[in-house]
Amino acid sequence: MTRGTAIVTGGAGTLGFAIGQALRAEGWPVLLVDLSESVTEAATRIGAEGWQADLTDADARMALVGAVGKIGALVNCAGIGRVVPFFDTDEALWDAMLHVNLTVPMRLSQAVARRMAETGGGSIVNIASVSGQQASRGRVAYGTSKAGLIHLTKQMAVELAEHGIRCNAVAPGPVEGPLARHHPPEQRHRYLETIPQGRYAQAPEIAEAVRFLVSDGATHITGHCLNVDGGWQVAGV
């Protein structure tokens, strides 16, 4: 029986692309999904399929799931993030952050899980963040959305196990890429001082954690949040 397609949201971004690349190398049929039209080019580079869609739209989510057929894995990687102080976090920012980072993964997972339950199960991985485990300045909306995503992962694991569906999360710390290049020098210095390994993660390191969690080597792992942060969270700083 075929394992089914692996859907990776945020597939045109640095992290989503790396995840898609890792899964393709493992032999998965991969569908990269992104709001950006560059997703088609990104998918072509790794021998995958590309799908441009705004996943905040319910009809777009249903069209995606309806077009795929058998789905073996879903990686909810798409998200948004901003560093905004508590008093400056307005309603629009709060609503957008929770909607994109928490509600959309929940609704897409719901649609995908229904398909998986009908076709023999599968694996769902949510890309969370250590900001969902550890508070820091300017992360009231982002950190709360990722904390919710971690708990959602646990809820999904409990309720979907009977359908043969495993649900886990990966929580990166700072990751090198376009977003990290906007970190002010003082912020980068602070991160490098407080991450025990003394460096940012590379996107393929996060991708390898996802590859493992959807693999046959992780068939008894569900409801787990795997930190890939160089020891940052356990250092307690």
Side-chain angles (χ1 to χ4, degrees):
M1 180 182 293
T2 179
R3 67 188 356 170
T5 296
I7 299 174
V8 182
T9 72
T14 300
L15 189 50
F17 177 79
I19 292 168
Q21 189 171 40
L23 295 181
R24 278 297 297 135
E26 196 72 7
W28 282 87
V30 170
L31 176 64
L32 300 183
V33 184
D34 202 282
L35 181 62
S36 171
E37 62 183 14
S38 65
V39 69
T40 303
E41 178 185 353
T44 300
R45 288 167 55 193
I46 60 172
E49 297 294 323
W51 184 286
Q52 184 184 4
D54 179 359
L55 294 178
T56 64
D57 181 79
D59 290 339
R61 294 194 297 269
M62 297 311 297
L64 169 66
V65 174
V68 175
K70 181 176 172 61
I71 303 170
L74 168 65
V75 183
N76 285 305
C77 185
I80 56 175
R82 285 183 60 192
V83 178
V84 180
F86 179 82
F87 284 121
D88 296 329
T89 300
D90 59 23
E91 186 171 355
L93 174 63
W94 175 265
D95 289 349
M97 200 79 72
L98 265 69
H99 186 68
V100 173
N101 293 351
L102 181 56
T103 302
V104 171
M106 187 273 180
R107 291 303 185 192
L108 181 59
S109 295
Q110 201 173 41
V112 167
R114 286 195 176 99
R115 174 66 56 78
M116 287 178 170
E118 296 168 352
T119 56
S123 178
I124 298 174
V125 177
N126 294 318
I127 303 302
S129 169
V130 293
S131 292
Q133 303 168 331
Q134 179 174 302
S136 59
R137 293 183 181 275
R139 299 285 181 156
V140 60
Y142 180 77
T144 300
S145 71
K146 293 299 186 177
L149 188 62
I150 292 170
H151 190 75
L152 173 64
T153 302
K154 298 175 183 180
Q155 291 289 157
M156 289 166 54
V158 170
E159 296 201 33
L160 297 178
E162 65 186 273
H163 301 288
I165 302 169
R166 297 185 300 107
C167 304
N168 293 288
V170 171
V175 180
E176 290 288 7
L179 294 178
R181 286 195 283 273
H182 293 290
H183 290 173
E186 62 275 13
Q187 183 181 8
R188 175 175 284 269
H189 178 71
R190 185 170 65 253
Y191 282 156
L192 295 178
E193 276 195 327
T194 55
I195 297 170
Q197 286 193 338
R199 64 176 178 85
Y200 284 29
Q202 299 294 322
E205 294 176 304
I206 312 301
E208 278 301 301
V210 175
R211 182 201 60 75
F212 167 68
L213 287 173
V214 302
S215 76
D216 291 340
T219 51
H220 201 53
I221 300 175
T222 193
H224 181 71
C225 182
L226 175 58
N227 285 20
V228 187
D229 64 351
W232 190 31
Q233 197 273 336
V234 295
V237 293

